[in-house]
């Protein structure tokens, strides 16, 4: 099923980004967060010879994941309002280490960035989403960037499972990675 949000074939130079995201998503789906981290650290490694390329790759990888999450959130939220509404809409909530819901501004920086980026995408503000990621890339340590990407992978995994359960569209590359 193709959702049309991101067509990796439209930009052949991004194919390695989609492949990296696919491998990381597949690893996470099998329960291997370490395998997912290994795939992601290839993109954000500190190799000074490729620093600019790595930063651009990391940004494109995160934008790809957040765009797909946005498309799935939108699909899940369609038809959730009104007298014939389906399941409850998707809500963004942030929890502390004790499981208590907290305001977004009290969350760790990678989580704040993830929530704000996803909300920008859901509201159709791709430039704001890009800006949130650019700021994170400029200020975050590589470990924080990996945390941000892991969060995006977890959301992609959960949202794709929910969309599949409800027979809603999921991008082909995600479906292939999870099969």
């Amino acid at each position: 099923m193709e959702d049309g949000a991101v067509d990796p074939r439209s930009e052949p130079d991004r194919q390695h980004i989609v492949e990296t995201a696919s491998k990381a998503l597949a690893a996470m789906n099998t329960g291997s967060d370490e395998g997912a981290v290994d795939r992601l650290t290839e993109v954000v490694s500190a190799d000074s010879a490729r620093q600019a390329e790595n930063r651009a790759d990391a940004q494109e990888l995160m934008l790809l994941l957040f765009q797909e999450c946005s498309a799935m959130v939108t699909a899940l939220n369609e038809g959730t309002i009104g007298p014939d509404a389906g399941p409850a809409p998707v809500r963004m909530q942030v929890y502390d280490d004790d499981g208590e819901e907290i305001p977004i501004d009290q969350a760790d920086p990678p989580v704040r960035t993830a929530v704000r980026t996803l909300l920008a995408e859901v509201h159709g503000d791709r430039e704001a989403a890009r800006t949130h990621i650019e700021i994170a890339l400029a200020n975050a340590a590589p470990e924080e960037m990996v945390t941000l990407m892991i969060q995006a992978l977890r959301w992609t995994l959960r949202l794709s499972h929910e969309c599949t359960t409800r027979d809603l569209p999921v991008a082909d590359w995600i479906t292939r990675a999870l099969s």
Side-chain angles (χ1 to χ4, degrees):
M1 299 166 81
E2 183 68 38
D3 67 0
V6 179
D7 183 359
R9 292 161 295 181
S10 66
E11 297 183 35
D13 57 322
R14 283 186 44 184
Q15 190 59 37
H16 69 283
I17 299 297
V18 174
E19 289 172 11
T20 299
S22 294
K23 290 176 184 175
L25 194 59
M28 183 166 280
N29 190 45
T30 63
S32 176
D33 283 2
E34 295 83 21
V37 169
D38 289 345
R39 301 298 181 267
L40 297 175
T41 53
E42 295 168 6
V43 174
V44 294
S45 69
D47 179 7
S48 60
R50 283 190 31 99
Q51 191 171 18
E53 288 177 43
N54 288 346
R55 181 172 289 208
D57 287 352
Q59 180 173 339
E60 291 304 313
L61 176 64
M62 285 184 278
L63 286 171
L64 171 70
L65 292 170
F66 284 113
Q67 287 168 7
E68 294 297 359
C69 285
S70 172
M72 290 184 283
V73 166
T74 299
L76 287 164
N77 282 337
E78 289 178 357
T80 59
I81 299 173
D84 298 327
V90 176
R91 289 184 46 196
M92 295 297 301
Q93 296 171 290
V94 179
Y95 297 93
D96 64 15
D97 292 337
D98 298 323
E100 297 293 320
E101 187 173 358
I102 59 172
I104 186 176
D105 291 331
Q106 292 179 8
D108 292 334
V111 175
R112 281 196 312 261
T113 300
V115 171
R116 289 181 176 144
T117 302
L118 181 56
L119 288 172
E121 281 288 344
V122 166
H123 291 286
D125 193 348
R126 185 145 300 145
E127 192 56 38
R130 184 176 292 279
T131 299
H132 286 297
I133 292 172
E134 286 173 356
I135 291 168
L137 282 168
N139 298 308
E143 310 81 52
E144 291 176 314
M145 295 313 308
V146 170
T147 300
L148 177 59
M149 287 189 238
I150 290 291
Q151 185 65 55
L153 282 169
R154 285 185 179 135
W155 286 345
T156 304
L157 184 63
R158 289 180 186 146
L159 289 166
S160 65
H161 285 307
E162 189 62 30
C163 283
T164 300
T165 300
R166 297 187 196 182
D167 199 29
L168 295 170
V170 175
D172 287 341
W173 72 266
I174 294 172
T175 302
R176 284 191 303 272
L178 300 178
S179 60

